[in-house]
Amino acid sequence: MNSDPKMKHDVFLSFRVKDTRDNFVSHLCGCLRRKRIKTYLFDELPYEERYEESLKAIEVSRVSVIVFSENFGDSKFCLDEVVAILKCKKRFGQIVIPVLYHVDPVDIENQTGSFGEAFAKRKDKPEQLKEWKDGFTEAINLPGWSTSHLRDEEMLVNEIALDIESKLLRASRTKVMIEWSLVITNLMLEIPSCVFDQISSTRRPLYALGAMSMSLFSCLLCLVDLFHKGRVERVVWRWSLPIPWFHYPTQRSNRFGSFPDILGLVCALCQTILTAVNYSFITHNVDSPIKFSVWPIMFALGLLCTMFIKRAS
């Protein structure tokens, strides 16, 4: 499974080691990795690094799987992971899949039965306990899996792996479709903007105004798209050479923004400036000295190059 450059993991597994690590989680992780799905396991790190690194890993994972088991509630480590996962779901739309491993959802929600007995061992502050309880309620009401519905563990593992694979593919395809829809929309705005700019004159000032409006809208569309992606992917500003720019937080050398994103923004910005200059000349009853704009052509060539590069890779 191909990952985006800013995401280090496809799947984050949250589980109670003594309940599921040597059986269910081991089988699930193996099944996912055989499908080339990058799966994070916290216990593969040195002990002293596990807590902090796991919370960081949650933020750079596409999917989080929470394996609720009998002793899940007595581990602060697991409880904090649930809270962090649900925060990522709210802020960034992370996919969350609960798995109930030989526990009843009613016991999780009400903290009763063997699950409740394990959670009762926690002697934390009331507000902390409430946050965890609210997390239980939210998590178990999400679409997920349970051993009570499919008792054959091998079949259950395979079904969960197929579900995760399907969700990752669907999310990837949707993202690609949205990205290219925005790119094509920008192109469809820049081309008529260029045409209107060429046929405008002191006798037809509305063409110049239309050209400037379309190029400005294209530029704003590029900026809004980049702003949204930057917010979702938590980019940070770095004063690096040769050009200061935003970077992905998990990879210092990797600058934010795909080739079509940056090319579209540069072309739209240049086209906006040219149409604004042209409109300024026309409003003063003087024909613009700029007779032709190459930015839409550069944008179209850039799109073709990107398509060939992706096809080759």
Side-chain angles (χ1 to χ4, degrees):
M1 182 68 61
N2 293 328
S3 294
D4 285 352
K6 60 277 182 186
M7 296 305 246
K8 294 181 68 175
H9 316 289
D10 289 321
V11 178
F12 178 92
L13 294 178
S14 175
F15 58 94
R16 188 70 171 99
V17 172
K18 66 180 181 181
D19 289 343
T20 57
R21 177 61 179 94
D22 295 330
N23 41 63
F24 180 79
V25 167
S26 179
H27 299 152
L28 178 58
C29 180
C31 187
L32 291 170
R33 287 177 175 175
R34 282 193 294 274
K35 291 177 177 290
R36 297 184 179 181
I37 296 174
K38 293 183 179 180
T39 305
Y40 178 89
L41 287 179
F42 75 89
D43 63 348
E44 294 178 341
L45 294 173
Y47 183 81
E48 63 276 5
E49 298 177 12
R50 292 178 181 179
Y51 183 80
E52 292 296 331
E53 290 301 318
S54 291
L55 295 182
K56 291 177 183 177
I58 290 170
E59 294 190 350
V60 289
S61 299
R62 284 194 175 117
V63 177
S64 284
V65 178
I66 306 172
V67 184
F68 288 105
S69 56
E70 182 178 336
N71 295 293
F72 189 92
D74 71 359
S75 168
K76 184 179 186 300
F77 192 106
C78 294
L79 299 173
D80 285 345
E81 283 181 348
V82 172
V83 172
I85 287 168
L86 294 174
K87 284 181 179 178
C88 285
K89 177 181 179 296
K90 290 177 183 176
R91 293 175 62 194
F92 315 121
Q94 186 180 91
I95 300 169
V96 181
I97 302 174
V99 177
L100 309 186
Y101 186 78
H102 299 304
V103 287
D104 193 298
V106 175
D107 288 342
I108 298 175
E109 186 168 10
N110 299 321
Q111 295 84 57
T112 54
S114 57
F115 185 91
E117 290 173 7
F119 186 69
K121 297 176 184 177
R122 302 300 316 169
K123 304 299 179 183
D124 299 270
K125 295 179 180 180
E127 56 270 20
Q128 180 69 82
L129 293 173
K130 183 179 183 305
E131 185 178 34
W132 289 334
K133 291 177 182 179
D134 291 342
F136 293 154
T137 302
E138 182 179 350
I140 64 169
N141 282 291
L142 296 171
W145 298 86
S146 173
T147 51
S148 64
H149 297 143
L150 192 58
R151 291 193 172 275
D152 187 312
E153 192 166 302
E154 184 179 357
M155 289 182 62
L156 179 60
V157 164
N158 288 332
E159 289 296 323
I160 294 172
L162 286 171
D163 183 36
I164 291 170
E165 186 178 35
S166 173
K167 284 180 167 61
L168 286 170
L169 285 171
R170 196 181 309 126
S172 178
R173 288 170 181 167
T174 301
K175 181 179 179 181
V176 169
M177 286 177 63
I178 292 173
E179 285 182 350
W180 280 99
S181 295
L182 288 170
V183 168
I184 292 169
T185 300
N186 282 336
L187 186 60
M188 293 299 100
L189 285 169
E190 289 190 38
I191 289 175
S193 171
C194 181
V195 173
F196 280 20
D197 194 42
Q198 299 309 305
I199 63 177
S200 62
S201 66
T202 53
R203 297 186 300 277
R204 292 177 288 191
L206 290 180
Y207 283 102
L209 180 61
M212 184 176 66
S213 300
M214 282 187 284
S215 58
L216 179 60
F217 182 71
S218 176
C219 189
L220 290 174
L221 194 63
C222 291
L223 287 171
V224 170
D225 181 45
L226 277 175
F227 176 80
H228 172 70
K229 290 177 180 176
R231 177 181 172 275
V232 168
E233 291 156 12
R234 306 170 292 283
V235 297
V236 293
W237 177 265
R238 291 201 177 100
W239 290 94
S240 57
L241 296 175
I243 301 174
W245 187 244
F246 296 95
H247 289 70
Y248 296 114
T250 56
Q251 298 182 359
R252 286 188 172 274
S253 61
N254 199 350
R255 290 173 177 266
F256 166 66
S258 65
F259 181 71
D261 289 334
I262 303 303
L263 181 65
L265 178 60
V266 170
C267 291
L269 185 60
C270 292
Q271 181 70 7
T272 301
I273 294 171
L274 289 176
T275 54
V277 170
N278 187 33
Y279 183 69
S280 176
F281 274 101
I282 288 175
T283 54
H284 290 85
N285 292 319
V286 180
D287 286 332
S288 172
I290 303 171
K291 299 301 181 184
F292 185 69
S293 173
V294 298
W295 298 109
I297 296 173
M298 288 183 62
F299 186 48
L301 290 174
L303 288 180
L304 290 174
C305 290
T306 303
M307 292 174 69
F308 281 121
I309 291 169
K310 286 192 173 183
R311 185 182 293 270
S313 61

